[in-house]
């Protein structure tokens, strides 16, 4: 498996797509039940293949990721050729960006002495989707890119 197996909740949400996937493998509902009971390892392999297909589709459409912790924001713009990063560091230990109070402080003080910015870009490896997935594994979430775009305008 290239990425990660979908959770039971995710599989439940994608039930119609999974049924279609099984149909493309010529596996009926009855055969699926039998496969799960008699050959659970084969059933898990089918789920793994489906999971990779779903991840591949999702990752191909991801343009922005955010990883926000108490004192840091890592905002990514994933272009066709490279990953662009805007990194924000809050040097006030009393501020937690993951809380509404902390984020409101940041909005008022983003140009102050207690905030540092860094920008960088990095070329993808041979596997762009896997590069994106690794960022998600490290805690990044898929976004529409509003924060990145806002900072990008400010930093210019």
């Amino acid at each position: 498996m290239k990425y990660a197996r979908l959770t039971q909740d995710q599989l439940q949400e994608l039930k119609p797509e999974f049924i279609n996937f099984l149909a493309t493998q010529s596996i009926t509902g009855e055969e699926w039940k039998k496969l799960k009971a008699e050959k659970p390892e084969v059933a898990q392999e089918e789920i793994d293949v489906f999971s990779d297909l779903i991840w591949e589709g999702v990752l191909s459409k991801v343009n922005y990721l955010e990883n926000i912790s108490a004192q840091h924001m890592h905002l990514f713009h994933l272009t066709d050729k490279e990953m662009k990063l805007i990194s924000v560091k809050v040097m006030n230990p009393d501020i937690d960006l993951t809380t509404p109070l902390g984020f409101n402080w940041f909005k008022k003080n983003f140009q102050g002495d207690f905030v540092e910015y860094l920008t960088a870009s990095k070329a993808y490896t041979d596997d762009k989707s896997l590069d994106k997935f690794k960022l998600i594994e490290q805690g990044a979430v898929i976004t529409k890119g509003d924060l990145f775009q806002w900072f990008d305008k400010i930093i210019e």
Side-chain angles (χ1 to χ4, degrees):
M1 181 168 51
K2 184 174 178 180
Y3 302 111
R5 181 177 297 144
L6 297 174
T7 66
Q8 285 300 324
D9 288 343
Q10 290 167 328
L11 284 170
Q12 192 60 37
E13 288 290 321
L14 295 167
K15 189 173 183 178
E17 291 84 354
F18 187 61
I19 290 169
N20 286 338
F21 168 77
L22 291 175
T24 65
Q25 308 294 316
S26 301
I27 300 172
T28 65
E30 284 302 312
E31 290 171 325
W32 177 245
K33 288 177 187 171
K34 186 176 177 183
L35 194 63
K36 287 194 306 183
E38 296 175 9
K39 297 181 182 175
E41 68 285 348
V42 175
Q44 289 301 316
E45 288 172 13
E46 291 293 336
I47 292 171
D48 290 349
V49 171
F50 178 72
S51 296
D52 278 349
L53 285 172
I54 293 298
W55 274 113
E56 198 65 47
V58 168
L59 294 168
S60 70
K61 296 175 184 151
V62 171
N63 292 315
Y64 294 94
L65 293 172
E66 294 176 2
N67 191 340
I68 300 174
S69 62
Q71 257 76 51
H72 292 91
M73 273 192 260
H74 294 101
L75 311 172
F76 299 92
H77 181 200
L78 308 167
T79 69
D80 286 338
K81 301 204 184 306
E82 64 185 359
M83 298 178 279
K84 295 182 178 182
L85 167 69
I86 297 175
S87 179
V88 180
K89 181 179 180 181
V90 174
M91 295 171 295
N92 180 340
D94 298 329
I95 299 303
D96 183 345
L97 294 170
T98 63
T99 66
L101 184 66
F103 201 77
N104 283 334
W105 176 92
F106 174 75
K107 287 194 292 189
K108 293 175 186 164
N109 297 283
F110 70 92
Q111 292 180 316
D113 293 339
F114 289 100
V115 181
E116 284 184 353
Y117 298 95
L118 169 80
T119 60
S121 60
K122 178 182 174 185
Y124 293 106
T125 65
D126 292 338
D127 193 335
K128 185 190 311 188
S129 291
L130 192 57
D131 292 342
K132 294 176 183 182
F133 182 75
K134 287 178 181 177
L135 292 172
I136 291 170
E137 274 189 318
Q138 294 168 6
V141 294
I142 299 168
T143 69
K144 294 179 181 174
D146 294 340
L147 268 177
F148 184 96
Q149 293 169 27
W150 184 75
F151 278 113
D152 199 33
K153 287 176 187 168
I154 289 171
I155 292 172
E156 285 178 358

